[in-house]
Amino acid sequence: MQTILKIFIISFFVITSSNADSGNKLNFYTGMFDFSDDGKKSNLFGIQHINENLYRESFLGTLQPVTGAFITADNAGYIYTGFQIPYEVGSLKITPSFAPGLYSEGDGKDLGHIIEFKSELQISINLTSDSEIGISYNHLSNASIGDKNPGANSYIINFIKEF
């Protein structure tokens, strides 16, 4: 899982450095994985890619495809792809998202299955014309496709930058 995560992160930098002003955004984030479980909570670091060239309008709003990964201090990792839909409310941007992915517990929490679903709500504000800062809350769950489904709740600080 660590090798896959390293390849994934390197790919992000190759994509964004070769396509300046191409509408790519990166979300660098850190926070606390499974903060509600004192025995298994762990720091996390992640990166998420948002490609403006793939936006699609829908009856819900603008669907924005996202792809990302995070790793915890306990070597648990999650690689995902899904979508988000941002809504602007005054100076705030409220962005719900949904992303299925693959989870590896490493030395961290056993979530019951390799397939997990991430639901998230992010609130952010613009720092400059091409960057945002925000906070988010997410929940990982296998929707009871595994033998057990303890789930994990995380809070996160996000820095989003357009390249």
Side-chain angles (χ1 to χ4, degrees), residues 77-130:
Y78 185 62
I79 296 174
Y80 59 90
T81 188
F83 66 91
Q84 65 182 22
I85 305 172
Y87 299 99
E88 293 189 23
V89 179
S91 61
L92 292 178
K93 188 181 289 182
I94 299 171
T95 309
S97 65
F98 177 76
L102 302 176
Y103 176 77
S104 172
E105 72 180 87
D107 296 325
K109 186 171 186 174
D110 179 4
L111 293 180
H113 203 277
I114 189 171
I115 297 173
E116 296 288 330
F117 303 93
K118 180 173 73 77
S119 302
E120 182 167 294
L121 182 63
Q122 176 181 298
I123 299 173
S124 60
I125 58 171
N126 288 335
L127 289 176
T128 65
S129 63
D130 62 356

Side-chain angles (χ1 to χ4, degrees), residues 15-55:
I15 289 168
T16 57
S17 65
S18 65
N19 294 324
D21 298 325
S22 66
N24 287 302
K25 289 183 182 179
L26 288 180
N27 178 357
F28 300 94
Y29 59 90
T30 188
M32 183 62 62
F33 178 75
D34 205 20
F35 69 87
S36 56
D37 183 346
D38 288 335
K40 290 296 183 177
K41 66 182 176 182
S42 180
N43 293 321
L44 69 77
F45 172 77
I47 188 167
Q48 178 173 281
H49 178 251
I50 307 156
N51 186 334
E52 290 181 349
N53 298 321
L54 299 176
Y55 287 7

